[in-house]
Structure formats: C-alpha cells, structure tokens
C-alpha cells in the first residue's frame, strides 16, 4: 500500500496534500513509470479520507500527465515523468534579511536619500485617491500611453518652470518608474558599446552601473566644493554624454556656478554631445536662494531627470525624464518596450497633488524639519568629536559628508562600527578613481529623528574610539 503522511492540522486541503505527495514521488522516481497506484477505494480506506478526495487527486495527476488510466486495469505512473533532483536552495525562512536583522539589533542607519517616511501626507493622499478612484472613467482602468498621463505632464511642466526654471512642453516629458528607469532609458537611448561617458567623480555607484551595462567607457572628472571641475573636460575626446548633478552634487554636495554651467553647454555644443542633468535633492536647499536648472539654459542639449522618491516616498516609484524634442518619439518606444506605461491611477493622484498646491506645501514643511535635523546632526558631531571633524555638503539635500582626517574607512573599520549598532556609508564606494576619499563618510539624516541622530553619533564615536584602542 502507498503510505502518504496526511496532516489534518495544515491549511492545505487534503486533496492537495494527496496530489502533491504522489506527484513528488513520481518526479523523484520513488514511483516508477508503469507502476500501478492503489485503487481509489483502497487508498481512501488506508488514509481514512473520503474516496472523493482520492478521486480528485488522481484526476489532477491524470490532467497533468503524471498518470494514465487503463479501463478495467487501474491507474499507472506515466512514461517520462522522472526528473533528476538537484540540491535544494535554502528555505526562504532560513535566509537572513538585512532589514529584519537591523530592527532586531536596533541598528541606526545613516543611509542617504531616504525621506521622513512617517511624515508622508497620508490623509491628503488618501483623500485624493478616494476622489480619483470614484470619479474617473472606466476607460482609465485600461492600458495607457507610455509617456504618461497628459494631466500629470501638463501640471508637471508648469510646476517645474515655476520652481526649477525648466523650459519644456508637456510633450517633452516621459513619466518613469523613478529616476532609475529614467537613467536606464537614457543609456538605451544614447549609448552603444565603447561610447565615452563623462561623469563626475565621485558619483553614485548605481549610476555608474547603469551606464556600464551598455559597455560604455566611463571618463571621470574630479569634483571640488563647487561640483564638476569643468576646466578638466577633455578637448580631444568625442563623448556621447556628460552626466552631472549640478544643483546638488552627489555625494559631496557642491552646487555648480553659472560659469561652469556655461562651460558645459559650450562643450556640449562643440562636441555635439548631450548633458544629462540629474536634479538630485534640489528641492531641499537650506543656504541661499533656489538654484535654477541647467536645462533652462539649453533645452535642446540637456536631458533632465527628476524623481519624487526623496520629496515624497520611494514607494511611489514615480519620476520623469525631459527630452530634447528630436529624442521624444524614440524614447516613447523604449518606454513602451520597458513596461508599457507607469501606473495610471498613481499618476492621476500625483497630478492632483501637485496641481492643488499640496506638493509645494509639503516641501515647505519638510524643509523646516530637515533643516532642523541637519543642524542637530552637525551640533552632535561637533560636540561629540570635539570639533575634530570637517563637515561638507550640508547646504542642500538629505545628507552631509563627514571627514575624519586621521581615519581610513576600510572594510574592517566599517564592519567594526556596525557592531556598535550604527551603519555609515563611505564616499569611496561611489568613486571611479579610488583612494581619494577614504577618510570621508556619508551621513543621511532625513529619515532619522533627533534621538536617533544623537544615539547614532554617540555610537559612531564609541566605535571609533574602541577601534583606536584595539589597534
């Protein structure tokens, strides 16, 4: 008789249990081709289950081809049903998920680029969502156009002209699933193997990775406290694009002055290349007036990328790409091949959120909160480290740079710091040419409350002090 361990305490129906256990034995060869299965009546008696349970399990096996039924003879294992078993991967339950581990250890992470998620305007978003879901036409639930809803593109073009000096028609905007998709579209749109890409160094490692996927060649230009050193742009090269973060250089935080912006535009015109402007963190500027976009100076040579991940939430996966007019149609096709379109209903909610002034009010509110957290982080660093730290890049954005001149943030030191319940991120991770910023770390503060900031800085100081004693 076929022994099958039925477990009535499980949520899995008995029919499914019988089917799965017989299927597994057929696949691993314990039940071989041509072998006869017990009759449904005999097996139901043996397992003390209804005969209908066995009948339905056998029917499922028959439908999938695991068994064959012979009139008057019974049910037999079909030919060609053995599958050699490979080593099983670990159970998902046994995997260590970093997020859960950090929660258990009360880890304080100074990761950059994360907004205050607990301050997302939920009530306003929910109210607008309710209105949109109840008022929209049934046709809106169907497939949409790849470049994005016209309602969002129209309101976005007006908003960006007002706040960032971006000069564009709604038709030049392609709505994307965050800045990452926008960058991926740019790489597919402009680059081929062995094309030259000029970029700031350091620059976020994710962007380097995206451009490398096209087998392009990265040409790094160093940055200083004002951003890319445009005087070092190569005169004897023919780049396809120059990638820059002019409003808030990542990670060092400089703002590109007008003289260097003009140098970049003249360079792009002379070499017939494009400038790709990532308007990173520009909304949260704490020192001086807002800085206008580079795109507004030359819309036909600049591709402009923006995102709502830092302003609102990364979970929205909403960004945009603004293109010179002659690249629009090709980009629309690439977007269609990528994902057909960005979720339509979320676009309509965001359009209403911007159009009714909620976004500007939210940014104004958050600027005050982030500035307060930034000032508190600077105060904690200066008090805790007795003014032995140098702090850079604090005029804009959700992170700052800390330099401890006597330290090299090696893998060993970073792992040592993490054992004290705090995680920091080295600038060196984002460099193309290595060994230039080994004594600098990135400290993100947007998502941390004051008590977490204070605790994190104290832990960091304790870890470094103990590391000095250890060595």
């Amino acid at each position: 008789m076929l022994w099958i361990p039925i477990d009535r305490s499980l949520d899995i129906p008995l029919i499914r249990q019988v089917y799965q256990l017989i299927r597994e034995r057929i696949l691993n060869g314990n039940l071989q081709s041509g072998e006869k299965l017990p009759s449904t009546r005999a097996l139901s008696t043996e397992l003390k289950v209804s005969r209908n349970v066995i009948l339905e399990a056998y029917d499922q096996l028959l439908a999938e081809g695991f068994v064959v039924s012979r009139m008057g003879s019974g049910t037999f294992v079909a030919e060609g049903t053995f599958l050699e078993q490979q080593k099983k991967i670990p159970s998902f339950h046994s995997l260590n998920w970093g997020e859960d581990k950090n929660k258990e250890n009360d880890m304080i992470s100074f990761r950059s680029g994360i907004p205050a998620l607990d301050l997302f305007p939920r009530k306003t978003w929910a109210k607008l969502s309710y209105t949109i879901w109840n008022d929209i036409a049934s046709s809106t639930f169907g497939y949409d156009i790849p470049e994005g809803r016209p309602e969002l593109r129209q309101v976005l073009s007006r908003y960006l002209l007002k706040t960032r000096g971006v000069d564009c028609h709604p038709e030049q905007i392609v709505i994307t699933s965050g800045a990452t998709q926008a960058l991926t579209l740019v790489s597919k749109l402009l680059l081929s193997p062995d094309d030259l890409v000029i970029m700031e160094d350091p620059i976020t490692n994710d962007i380097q990775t995206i451009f490398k996927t096209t087998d392009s060649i990265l040409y790094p230009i160093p940055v200083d406290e004002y951003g890319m050193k445009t005087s070092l742009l190569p005169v004897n090269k023919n780049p396809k694009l120059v990638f820059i973060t002019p409003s808030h250089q990542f990670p060092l935080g400089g703002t590109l002055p007008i003289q260097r912006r003009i140098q970049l535009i003249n360079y792009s015109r002379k070499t017939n290349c494009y400038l790709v402007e990532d308007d990173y963190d520009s909304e949260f500027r704490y020192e001086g007036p807002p800085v206008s976009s580079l795109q507004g100076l030359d819309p036909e040579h600049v591709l402009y990328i923006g995102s709502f991940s830092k302003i609102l939430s990364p979970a929205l996966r909403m960004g945009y790409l603004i293109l010179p007019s002659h690249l629009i149609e090709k980009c629309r096709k690439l977007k269609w091949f990528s994902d057909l379109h960005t979720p339509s209903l979320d676009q309509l909610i965001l359009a209403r959120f911007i159009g009714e002034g909620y976004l500007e009010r939210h940014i104004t509110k958050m600027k005050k909160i982030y500035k307060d957290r930034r000032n508190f982080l600077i105060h904690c660093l200066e008090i805790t480290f007795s003014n032995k730290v140098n702090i850079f890049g604090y005029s804009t954005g959700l992170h700052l740079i800390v330099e401890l001149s006597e330290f090299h943030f090696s893998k060993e030191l970073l792992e040592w710091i993490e054992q004290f319940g705090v995680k920091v991120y080295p600038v060196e991770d984002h460099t193309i040419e290595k060994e230039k910023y080994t004594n600098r770390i990135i400290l993100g503060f947007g998502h941390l409350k004051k008590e977490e900031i204070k605790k994190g800085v104290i832990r960091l100081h304790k870890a470094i002090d103990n590391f000095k004693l250890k060595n």
Side-chain angles (χ1 to χ4, degrees):
M1 181 56 67
L2 181 64
W3 180 76
I4 297 175
I6 294 294
D7 188 348
R8 287 176 169 78
S9 68
L10 297 177
D11 291 335
I12 303 171
L14 294 178
I15 295 168
R16 192 74 187 172
Q17 289 190 50
V18 173
Y19 155 77
Q20 286 178 335
L21 290 165
I22 296 176
R23 175 183 181 275
E24 183 180 331
R25 293 182 185 191
I26 292 173
L27 286 170
N28 64 28
N30 288 336
L31 289 172
Q32 299 181 2
S33 299
E35 188 171 342
K36 185 178 182 180
L37 298 185
S39 69
T40 56
R41 192 180 303 279
L43 190 56
S44 68
T45 302
E46 176 70 21
L47 299 179
K48 296 181 173 55
V49 298
S50 164
R51 187 182 175 205
N52 287 337
V53 168
I54 308 302
L55 282 168
E56 291 196 40
Y58 276 23
D59 284 346
Q60 184 66 37
L61 292 165
L62 182 66
E64 295 182 14
F66 285 99
V67 299
V68 293
S69 178
R70 299 173 187 166
M71 186 68 68
S73 298
T75 303
F76 298 83
V77 177
E79 295 290 333
T81 52
F82 168 71
L83 179 65
E84 185 176 353
Q85 303 301 299
Q86 297 182 342
K87 185 179 179 181
K88 291 185 177 180
I89 62 172
S91 164
F92 288 118
H93 297 293
S94 68
L95 297 176
N96 292 320
W97 298 97
E99 185 179 350
D100 293 336
K101 181 181 178 182
N102 287 348
K103 286 180 181 178
E104 289 173 9
N105 295 341
D106 187 32
M107 181 71 70
I108 294 174
S109 171
F110 281 101
R111 180 177 173 181
S112 64
I114 304 177
L117 302 178
D118 57 319
L119 297 178
F120 180 84
R122 295 190 189 194
K123 290 183 179 179
T124 302
W125 196 267
K127 181 186 73 173
L128 295 175
S129 301
Y130 180 82
T131 303
I132 293 293
W133 278 80
N134 280 279
D135 291 351
I136 58 173
S138 300
S139 59
T140 314
F141 290 94
Y143 290 106
D144 218 325
I145 52 177
E147 61 267 33
R149 295 291 305 185
E151 297 93 333
L152 178 55
R153 289 184 287 122
Q154 287 164 6
V155 75
L156 195 53
S157 67
R158 293 194 295 269
Y159 170 78
L160 291 173
L161 178 62
K162 174 184 174 183
T163 61
R164 304 293 301 117
V166 171
D167 180 12
C168 75
H169 188 277
E171 290 297 309
Q172 292 176 254
I173 301 176
V174 173
I175 303 300
T176 63
S177 298
T180 300
Q181 187 184 47
L183 285 161
T184 303
L185 289 172
V186 167
S187 67
K188 292 179 178 179
L189 189 66
L190 300 181
L191 298 176
S192 300
D194 298 325
D195 281 343
L196 190 69
V197 176
I198 294 175
M199 54 175 35
E200 303 161 334
D201 185 19
I203 192 67
T204 176
N205 187 57
D206 292 343
I207 291 171
Q208 297 176 45
T209 302
I210 289 170
F211 289 136
K212 284 178 181 176
T213 59
T214 63
D215 293 324
S216 300
I217 300 167
L218 304 187
Y219 188 99
I221 300 287
V223 303
D224 57 19
E225 66 269 29
Y226 301 109
M228 177 184 279
K229 294 182 177 180
T230 50
S231 61
L232 300 179
L233 288 166
V235 294
N236 57 344
K237 302 286 185 181
N238 292 300
K240 264 299 179 60
L241 66 87
V242 180
F243 180 86
I244 39 169
T245 52
S247 295
H248 181 227
Q249 200 282 325
F250 182 90
L252 298 187
T255 298
L256 203 67
I258 186 61
Q259 292 81 4
R260 294 191 187 185
R261 292 174 185 237
I262 290 173
Q263 278 184 304
L264 271 171
I265 289 170
N266 287 333
Y267 182 80
S268 71
R269 291 173 178 176
K270 182 179 179 181
T271 59
N272 196 31
C273 75
Y274 293 99
L275 305 177
V276 179
E277 176 181 12
D278 186 352
D279 203 13
Y280 181 83
D281 268 358
S282 64
E283 295 83 6
F284 302 117
R285 184 169 180 81
Y286 314 115
E287 311 293 335
V291 179
S292 295
S293 69
L294 180 66
Q295 190 271 356
L297 297 174
D298 192 346
E300 285 302 297
H301 281 89
V302 181
L303 286 76
Y304 181 91
I305 294 172
S307 168
F308 295 96
S309 294
K310 313 293 187 299
I311 308 174
L312 291 170
S313 164
L316 292 179
R317 303 313 308 137
M318 199 78 72
Y320 49 92
L321 170 61
I322 298 175
L323 301 144
S325 54
H326 56 279
L327 294 176
I328 295 169
E329 191 55 39
K330 186 178 178 182
C331 188
R332 284 173 177 170
K333 290 178 181 178
L334 285 172
K335 180 65 165 69
W336 186 88
F337 283 122
S338 175
D339 62 0
L340 293 183
H341 61 85
T342 303
S344 304
L345 300 181
D346 291 341
Q347 292 185 60
L348 291 173
I349 297 166
L350 181 57
R352 191 77 63 87
F353 189 82
I354 298 171
E356 296 185 8
Y358 293 113
L359 181 62
E360 288 189 71
R361 290 196 287 274
H362 180 71
I363 290 173
T364 300
K365 170 188 171 183
M366 297 311 299
K367 271 182 71 172
K368 294 176 182 176
I369 293 170
Y370 291 145
K371 184 176 182 179
D372 188 44
R373 292 181 180 185
R374 180 207 65 166
N375 292 343
F376 186 72
L377 173 56
I378 292 172
H379 171 75
C380 288
L381 287 166
E382 290 175 344
I383 294 296
T384 307
F385 285 88
S386 303
N387 294 311
K388 293 180 181 178
V389 295
N390 295 316
I391 301 170
F392 306 95
Y394 50 79
S395 65
T396 309
L398 303 181
H399 75 269
L400 48 78
I401 301 297
V402 169
E403 179 185 78
L404 292 167
S405 54
E406 59 186 271
F407 281 98
H408 167 71
F409 284 96
S410 62
K411 182 180 179 184
E412 180 190 5
L413 176 54
L414 292 167
E415 289 175 350
W416 175 266
I417 290 171
E418 201 166 335
Q419 292 176 25
F420 285 76
V422 62
K423 191 169 177 63
V424 297
Y425 299 83
V427 170
E428 195 69 11
D429 280 356
H430 302 285
T431 57
I432 300 173
E433 294 184 350
K434 299 299 180 182
E435 303 299 322
K436 287 186 176 181
Y437 300 97
T438 59
N439 59 356
R440 296 189 186 188
I441 53 174
I442 305 166
L443 297 186
F445 55 82
H447 60 297
L448 297 174
K449 295 181 174 64
K450 283 186 176 180
E451 56 267 29
E452 294 173 311
I453 290 172
K454 182 177 181 180
K455 190 184 294 185
V457 171
I458 291 171
R459 290 179 182 181
L460 176 61
H461 183 261
K462 184 177 180 182
I464 289 174
D465 264 4
N466 277 269
F467 190 81
K468 282 195 292 188
L469 293 172
K470 181 173 79 78
N471 292 278

